[in-house]
Amino acid sequence: MLEQHPADTTIIRRILLIGGGVCLVVAGVCLFLINTQPLKQASTPVDEDVQPQFQAEKLSAISNLGVMVNEVRPLQQTTRVVASGQHSAEFRGTHFIQENLNNYSLELFITSKEEIIQDFLDKRADRSKFIYLRLAAEHQPERYVLLYGNYAGEADAEQQLQQLNLALPKTIHPRTVQFKDYTDLVNDMGTEELSNQKLYSIELKPAVIPPPAIVPKVSSASVVAPVSHALQTTVTRHDREGNVVSVTRSAGLEASVPH
């Protein structure tokens, strides 16, 4: 057999070591290229293709935005309220306004206190010609307006305005108005409606109270000692043929019977 020289063995080991290092470096470079190249290719379609498609779908979904505005009707205020407080007989609400939409009246003044109108009416002998309303507007405090007369035409109201003599302060300037101008501001029940409602009452009738029962007093002299009677029990036994076999008598309890 041929013996291998030690120098040759060292050279072979170095060559293998260098070759292994070169292979390791090449494998690392290939792995790096494989991991980085797909990310660069995948990032390009996201910016160019996917995002425009998403925007297109979003715009198509809201193309009919605003259609419901024409289909949904606005809320209508159909519930009437009963204003708190004690109103005078001249207080009117929506029922009166609906019946006199085309009629005219004279607006004397508007105030925020109902007591001012009530004090004014208390001093008038012709208060049957007056009416007043409560005006309730959104984002505004409630007000009360005093009106005079109910006229079928504007000309009649203007003529009455020229002849009006109510001794009002000079700062008050009455004007002609139509009842339908207060349609959106009045949502009350008038005094005439409340007075027509049926009232239910409970009629209480006096009832006779029976006198208390009188219990007679029992004196000690009228108490009689009870008499005791002994009770006996008799047991008779029969056989199958009905013949008497035995008769047993025993004393029972004693019962007290008063006389």
Side-chain angles (χ1 to χ4, degrees):
M1 295 181 61
L2 297 176
E3 294 182 359
Q4 192 174 4
H5 196 274
D8 296 337
T9 303
T10 303
I11 294 173
I12 293 173
R13 290 179 178 177
R14 290 180 179 179
I15 293 173
L16 294 176
L17 181 61
I18 294 172
V22 172
C23 293
L24 183 62
V25 172
V26 172
V29 173
C30 292
L31 182 63
F32 176 77
L33 294 177
I34 292 174
N35 293 335
T36 56
Q37 188 66 21
L39 293 176
K40 293 182 179 180
Q41 294 178 357
S43 60
T44 303
V46 173
D47 297 336
E48 296 180 357
D49 298 333
V50 178
Q51 187 68 18
Q53 291 178 2
F54 175 76
Q55 293 292 340
E57 293 177 358
K58 183 177 180 181
L59 293 175
S60 62
I62 61 175
S63 59
N64 295 328
L65 184 63
V67 175
M68 295 299 293
V69 177
N70 299 327
E71 296 180 0
V72 179
R73 297 180 180 179
L75 295 177
Q76 296 180 357
Q77 191 175 11
T78 58
T79 304
R80 296 190 297 166
V81 299
V82 179
S84 60
Q86 297 295 331
H87 303 293
S88 301
E90 295 78 14
F91 182 75
R92 296 294 179 266
T94 55
H95 180 71
F96 177 83
I97 296 297
Q98 294 298 326
E99 288 185 344
N100 301 274
L101 286 176
N102 298 325
N103 292 359
Y104 291 81
S105 183
L106 301 181
E107 183 183 280
L108 301 183
F109 62 87
I110 299 177
T111 179
S112 59
K113 296 182 179 180
E114 185 179 4
E115 293 79 6
I116 296 178
I117 295 180
Q118 292 175 343
D119 293 342
F120 177 81
L121 294 176
D122 291 339
K123 300 176 183 179
R124 302 293 305 187
D126 57 344
R127 60 183 300 171
S128 60
K129 298 181 180 180
F130 294 87
I131 62 172
Y132 71 96
L133 309 171
R134 187 181 73 95
L135 307 181
E138 189 176 2
H139 305 299
Q140 292 184 6
E142 63 177 17
R143 299 166 298 163
Y144 295 87
V145 55
L146 180 63
L147 304 175
Y148 179 84
N150 187 358
Y151 308 98
E154 186 177 4
D156 297 338
E158 288 290 346
Q159 183 179 0
Q160 183 62 37
L161 181 61
Q162 300 299 328
Q163 302 174 359
L164 189 64
N165 185 14
L166 299 178
L168 298 174
K170 296 182 180 181
T171 56
I172 297 178
H173 304 283
R175 66 186 184 96
T176 304
V177 293
Q178 196 172 10
F179 284 111
K180 68 178 182 180
D181 297 339
Y182 303 110
T183 303
D184 298 333
L185 301 177
V186 177
N187 190 35
D188 297 316
M189 296 181 64
T191 307
E192 80 283 3
E193 297 181 76
L194 297 176
S195 60
N196 292 333
Q197 293 183 351
K198 295 182 180 180
L199 299 179
Y200 297 91
S201 61
I202 300 176
E203 183 179 358
L204 300 178
K205 296 182 179 180
V208 179
I209 301 176
I214 300 176
V215 180
K217 296 181 179 180
V218 181
S219 60
S220 58
S222 61
V223 177
V224 180
V227 179
S228 300
H229 295 275
L231 299 179
Q232 294 181 355
T233 304
T234 302
V235 179
T236 304
R237 296 181 180 180
H238 299 270
D239 56 7
R240 296 181 179 179
E241 297 179 356
N243 300 321
V244 177
V245 177
S246 62
V247 177
T248 305
R249 294 180 180 180
S250 61
L253 300 176
E254 295 183 352
S256 300
V257 180
H259 293 279

